[in-house]
Amino acid sequence: MAEIRLYGPGEGEALRRLMEEAFGPGAAGRPGEPPALPEGCRAWLGGSDSGGPAAFCRAVPDRETRARGRLCLDALFVSAPHRRRGLGRALLRAAQECARGEGLEGVWGYFPAEVPPAFLSATGGRKLRTLRFFRRGRLESVLYPRVPQGYRVRPMSLPGDLAAAAALYNAVFARMWNFRAHAPGDIAEWFEGGDTAPENCLLLESLSEPAGLLGMAALAVDPSRLQAGDKTAYIPDIGVVPDHRGKGWGEILIAAAAARAREAGLAALELIADAEDAAVCAFYRRMGFEERGVIQVYEWGLPGESST
């Protein structure tokens, strides 16, 4: 039976080797230092032959995935010579049991490569979505267009904007594949983890219309990436309410996000888009974003239960 154990002290070089085999040189951070893992991350190692661990998986503390009752995996890797030893299934089972212990309903995996159909069939998993990953550098070349009179883009103010921002979020993202209705408390939670701050959550506002808020663009900055010298901001949420789409507000929000990133000393923006939404993907390309790959999203239920 495959041996699986939680990653612990003294195994940094083993995990570094696997991460670099999976993701390329530099994926584990600076040589000679412990592998760069997000705060709150857990990893499992698999295999115990004389060559050391041959597989690993990693769970990251993604707030939105957990709010949907799922443990978030962003890596599940088995070194090529060991892929018929059941290590992948054993690692997944360890993550599933971790999810069960935390009162979650299953596991979502966000991976850069397709999971083989045979593995999905053997483990009771299913594919949920393909997401396209976009990146835009050269932020100094993003011109900030003039906002029409009667409108403005401003940072969120707490606690006064919480209720209106929750209503805005629900109106903008209601048709997303993974939509979860937000209450004011859910918006407040955005700012508890340290990645997002109110001044980095930009609101598009009409000064005359009863609806008030028409769109939003939030920036998230991973402290571990900054510490490693990667000056990139991620845009987890950007959009405009349906009645005001197609009027140029998306361009203004992208430009406002770029301006805010420059003010914060950042050099690039990243975001993801649903591969099935061709119009949105085309919009990001027009705005100078380059596609850098895809993220495949998978779901597994708990052992003895079916995925839902």
Side-chain angles (χ1 to χ4, degrees):
M1 178 178 291
E3 177 187 336
I4 305 298
R5 64 186 182 276
L6 271 172
Y7 165 71
E11 297 183 298
E13 284 307 309
L15 181 58
R16 175 184 299 280
R17 173 178 55 81
L18 288 168
M19 289 178 64
E20 293 192 343
E21 185 180 349
F23 306 123
R30 295 187 177 96
E33 297 181 1
L37 298 177
E39 184 177 354
C41 174
R42 282 162 296 178
W44 291 265
L45 298 176
S48 60
D49 58 15
S50 59
F56 82 102
C57 72
R58 183 172 65 189
V60 293
D62 183 74
R63 188 188 304 272
E64 284 299 309
T65 304
R66 291 187 66 87
R68 292 170 175 84
R70 305 295 189 271
L71 185 74
C72 179
L73 289 186
D74 74 341
L76 178 60
F77 174 77
V78 180
S79 184
H82 303 273
R83 288 179 184 168
R84 293 186 180 274
R85 294 177 50 194
L87 289 173
R89 292 193 296 272
L91 285 167
L92 177 61
R93 177 62 65 92
Q96 290 172 309
E97 292 300 339
C98 177
R100 188 197 302 277
E102 296 184 8
L104 302 174
E105 299 174 13
V107 172
W108 278 6
Y110 298 81
F111 306 140
E114 291 273 4
V115 171
F119 182 83
L120 283 180
S121 177
T123 56
R126 63 176 180 138
K127 183 174 178 178
L128 295 179
R129 220 68 174 183
T130 296
L131 307 177
R132 299 196 181 280
F133 177 68
F134 291 93
R135 181 179 175 88
R136 166 70 198 255
R138 306 180 309 279
L139 299 186
E140 67 282 354
S141 66
V142 182
L143 300 180
Y144 196 114
R146 184 171 64 86
V147 180
Q149 187 173 359
Y151 299 87
R152 64 175 176 173
V153 177
R154 63 171 177 84
M156 185 180 292
S157 177
L158 300 182
D161 283 328
L162 290 177
L168 172 65
Y169 180 94
N170 294 334
V172 170
F173 302 112
R175 294 192 175 183
M176 286 181 60
W177 69 273
N178 61 344
F179 172 72
R180 176 178 68 89
H182 278 45
D186 297 307
I187 302 297
E189 287 181 357
W190 290 3
F191 311 113
E192 295 177 0
D195 291 355
T196 305
E199 60 268 25
N200 291 336
C201 186
L202 306 175
L203 301 176
L204 169 64
E205 183 176 35
S206 168
L207 301 179
S208 59
E209 298 182 40
L213 300 181
L214 306 179
M216 67 164 50
L219 295 179
V221 182
D222 183 343
S224 64
R225 292 183 71 175
L226 276 183
Q227 190 175 22
D230 184 353
K231 298 182 177 181
T232 300
Y234 175 65
I235 302 180
D237 299 297
I238 182 168
V240 177
V241 296
D243 289 347
H244 288 266
R245 292 172 186 167
K247 300 179 180 180
W249 295 120
E251 289 90 336
I252 288 176
L253 285 172
I254 287 287
R260 175 60 196 143
R262 291 197 304 267
E263 291 171 3
L266 302 169
L269 296 175
E270 291 178 345
L271 51 78
I272 57 175
D274 188 343
E276 296 185 11
D277 196 332
V280 168
C281 293
F283 166 73
Y284 290 133
R285 295 187 185 100
R286 289 198 305 272
M287 293 300 297
F289 284 81
E290 298 178 354
E291 187 173 338
R292 294 294 184 89
V294 297
I295 299 172
Q296 311 290 355
V297 187
Y298 297 92
E299 180 181 47
W300 287 270
L302 300 180
E305 304 174 12
S306 60
S307 297
T308 56

